[in-house]
Amino acid sequence: MAKFQIFFLLIITFGASFLQFCDGKVLMEYIGATGVSIEFTSVPISQSIDFHFILSFAIDADSSGNPQNGTFSPYWSSTLTPKAVKSIKSIYSNVKVLASLSGWSLGQKVLSWYNPHDQNLWISNAFFSLKSIIETYGLDGIDIDYERFPKHHESFAYCIGEVIARLKKKGVISVATIAPFYTTVIPYIELYTRYGDHIDYVNYQFYTDKVKTPETYLEAFRNRTQQFDKNKVLPSYEVNGRGIQGDAFFEALKLVENNGFNISGAMIFSADASLSNGFYYEKKTQAYLVNNSTE
């Protein structure tokens, strides 16, 4: 059978669902960071966009927060099991699941990037421990969310960049994202400058820029897209948190788009907080991404 006949039959068989992933829209959703008992299936998922759950967090520290020299362990909600990952991905072919690295704290212990004595040993430990977690859970990628740095942090870009590059080159992951905010932007710019080809999205935490209105959100967005690739920077929202709140966020999205930026996706922190409001922002954000409307 000719190739064009096969393609035609596939379209007839699967209809719009066969084409629904062609627009490249993505929603990133952090989940499992706060100790709340939450399930993937609680979150509403549109089949018209790519939906990336970001498990929060995998940490290279023991349960007391002591550094483990690149050996990562999962610390997200115990409900988000390998079986649960497999199940949600079997229900939704447009779902991917990533592991976010580090985060702000482990219990009461604030986490920091530390300069490893032997950088190549740290990279090796990180590669193999993350590979194990990724294969155990059936994950698709990693997100980098180190949020505190020493004065000298030159090792960060090299160590993290090499881990991302090796995981991608070995086919262990297909997606890599970073999550800078205003006080961490310099080490992330260094990372992006050296390894940007391996980084797919920038989950910039705009809610830390203390923007409260659509106009100031636009200004912040314009500024951050000058520091990172504008085609990879995603607008973000913190549920019941800092920065712009409520429907002003969607006004900001429209303003950003009206000023020449392509809104190809968004990041939300987090599903844990959205349990209490019926996932209002997830629903409206996905509707905006699909239709440029929240009606």
Side-chain angles (χ1 to χ4, degrees):
M1 184 181 292
K3 290 182 179 179
F4 78 89
Q5 290 176 305
I6 295 173
F7 182 73
F8 179 76
L9 287 174
L10 286 170
I11 292 176
I12 293 297
T13 302
F14 297 104
S17 63
F18 182 77
L19 301 173
Q20 65 186 357
F21 307 115
C22 295
D23 61 3
K25 299 296 179 69
V26 60
L27 180 66
M28 301 274 179
E29 173 85 296
Y30 285 82
I31 187 169
T34 63
V36 173
S37 180
I38 188 169
E39 306 281 352
F40 292 119
T41 51
S42 299
V43 183
I45 298 171
S46 169
Q47 293 186 337
S48 298
I49 64 171
D50 291 321
F51 197 109
H52 290 34
F53 283 108
I54 303 180
L55 296 170
S56 312
F57 293 92
I59 305 172
D60 56 330
D62 64 19
S63 58
S64 298
N66 300 309
Q68 295 296 291
N69 199 30
T71 299
F72 285 83
S73 300
Y75 286 94
W76 48 75
S77 173
S78 60
T79 57
L80 306 174
T81 62
K83 183 178 179 180
V85 172
K86 183 177 181 179
S87 177
I88 196 66
K89 291 174 70 174
S90 70
I91 297 170
Y92 296 99
S93 60
N94 58 317
V95 163
K96 288 183 170 63
V97 184
L98 286 63
S100 186
L101 308 191
S102 188
W104 176 254
S105 65
L106 180 57
Q108 298 301 311
K109 175 79 175 212
V110 176
L111 301 169
S112 298
W113 172 259
Y114 53 92
N115 291 308
H117 177 70
D118 184 335
Q119 295 181 21
N120 290 324
L121 178 59
W122 190 97
I123 291 167
S124 178
N125 290 342
F127 174 84
F128 286 107
S129 62
L130 289 172
K131 182 174 183 287
S132 177
I133 293 170
I134 289 161
E135 291 176 345
T136 298
Y137 280 83
L139 305 182
D140 301 280
I142 59 172
D143 170 72
I144 310 303
D145 190 29
Y146 280 88
E147 300 196 350
R148 195 164 179 261
F149 291 87
K151 182 176 181 180
H152 296 288
H153 47 69
E154 293 80 5
S155 62
F156 173 73
Y158 173 67
C159 289
I160 292 296
E162 283 299 304
V163 170
I164 293 172
R166 293 182 190 189
L167 289 170
K168 278 208 164 184
K169 288 176 181 177
K170 295 293 185 180
V172 180
I173 62 172
S174 59
V175 183
T177 65
I178 59 174
F181 64 98
Y182 77 104
T183 63
T184 66
V185 72
I186 291 176
Y188 279 94
I189 288 175
E190 293 171 356
L191 170 62
Y192 191 84
T193 299
R194 296 174 64 180
Y195 294 92
D197 288 347
H198 299 291
I199 295 168
D200 299 284
Y201 298 100
V202 178
N203 289 319
Y204 186 84
Q205 300 178 50
F206 284 100
Y207 38 84
T208 66
D209 278 355
K210 301 179 181 179
V211 294
K212 301 289 187 181
T213 67
E215 292 75 20
T216 53
Y217 199 101
L218 169 61
E219 182 181 350
F221 193 87
R222 182 180 286 115
N223 179 40
R224 300 311 177 184
T225 55
Q226 292 173 351
Q227 297 169 328
F228 303 96
D229 185 339
K230 69 177 183 179
N231 296 315
K232 295 183 180 182
V233 176
L234 301 183
S236 60
Y237 182 79
E238 184 176 42
V239 179
N240 300 326
R242 298 159 291 178
I244 199 166
Q245 289 289 293
D247 286 341
F249 173 62
F250 302 104
E251 295 173 22
L253 292 184
K254 196 65 179 177
L255 185 62
V256 168
E257 202 152 46
N258 287 343
N259 278 267
F261 294 99
N262 178 39
I263 302 297
S264 60
M267 178 269 274
I268 296 179
F269 187 89
S270 67
D272 304 29
S274 291
L275 270 173
S276 62
N277 63 32
F279 299 95
Y280 176 83
Y281 295 100
E282 287 78 0
K283 293 174 184 175
K284 292 196 74 169
T285 301
Q286 289 178 87
Y288 183 90
L289 294 174
V290 173
N291 306 310
N292 286 78
S293 171
T294 55
E295 297 301 326

